[in-house]
Amino acid sequence: MGIPNNLNDVLIRQFMKSFAITRFQASLVQAAFYVGYFLLAMPAALLMRKVGYKAGFVTGLFLFGAGAFLFWPAAILGRYEFFLFALFVIASGLSFLETASNPFIAQLGDPQSSERRLNFSQAFNPLGAITGALVGTILSFPASSCHRKKSPP
């Protein structure tokens, strides 16, 4: 979950360059993302209470995939608002996935060791955060733009 969360910082820089938006508009990237988390966490929990964790995982993966797919038409149309909507859908999917994963991890084995399993699984979030920032920077900034050779005077 750490990887997509930290790609937002890279996206903000790219959107500011591509769309010539204000800092307020750039902050809407984070807002669209975390509003998706906030609004869908309770519906995710209610869905999983009724039909189980598998439905939560499947719904989360579907929403995450749909949001990622929406980046393609957003890029073709070149609309900043469409990118925000795609980020909202991705975060909605992540909300379902996170809501399903923590209780699922806790129930996987011996109840006496559930805290250790949760701590272990959450320990990978910082690794995902670092990986997300690195991968996002590498993929969004081609090597030619990062290592420009100085032209002769």
Side-chain angles (χ1 to χ4, degrees):
M1 312 299 173
I3 292 173
N5 285 331
N6 284 293
L7 285 175
N8 285 342
D9 297 332
V10 176
L11 286 174
I12 289 171
R13 284 182 284 174
Q14 291 303 314
F15 288 161
M16 287 183 81
K17 289 179 189 176
S18 299
F19 297 111
I21 56 176
T22 65
R23 289 197 181 273
F24 173 76
Q25 289 171 312
S27 71
L28 293 177
V29 170
Q30 296 285 16
F33 194 81
Y34 289 108
V35 164
Y37 259 104
F38 176 75
L39 291 180
L40 274 287
M42 290 304 288
L46 294 173
L47 174 79
M48 284 175 262
R49 180 179 282 173
K50 284 187 177 184
V51 292
Y53 294 112
K54 188 186 284 188
F57 283 123
V58 169
T59 303
L61 289 171
F62 174 78
L63 286 170
F64 187 89
F69 179 77
L70 286 172
F71 264 70
W72 183 41
I76 291 172
L77 294 174
R79 297 290 311 236
Y80 174 68
E81 298 81 9
F82 204 167
F83 280 108
L84 291 179
F85 177 71
L87 284 170
F88 175 83
V89 175
I90 286 173
S92 299
L94 286 172
S95 180
F96 271 84
L97 290 171
E98 274 195 53
T99 303
S101 66
N102 286 340
F104 184 71
I105 290 168
Q107 292 181 355
L108 276 177
D110 181 26
Q112 299 294 332
S113 62
S114 64
E115 295 88 7
R116 276 183 270 159
R117 285 191 304 279
L118 280 170
N119 285 337
F120 185 72
S121 69
Q122 293 301 320
F124 286 98
N125 258 350
L127 181 62
I130 293 167
T131 304
L134 287 174
V135 168
T137 301
I138 291 167
L139 292 178
S140 65
F141 298 112
S144 61
S145 66
C146 292
H147 302 94
R148 289 188 183 137
K149 294 181 180 179
K150 293 184 181 179
S151 57

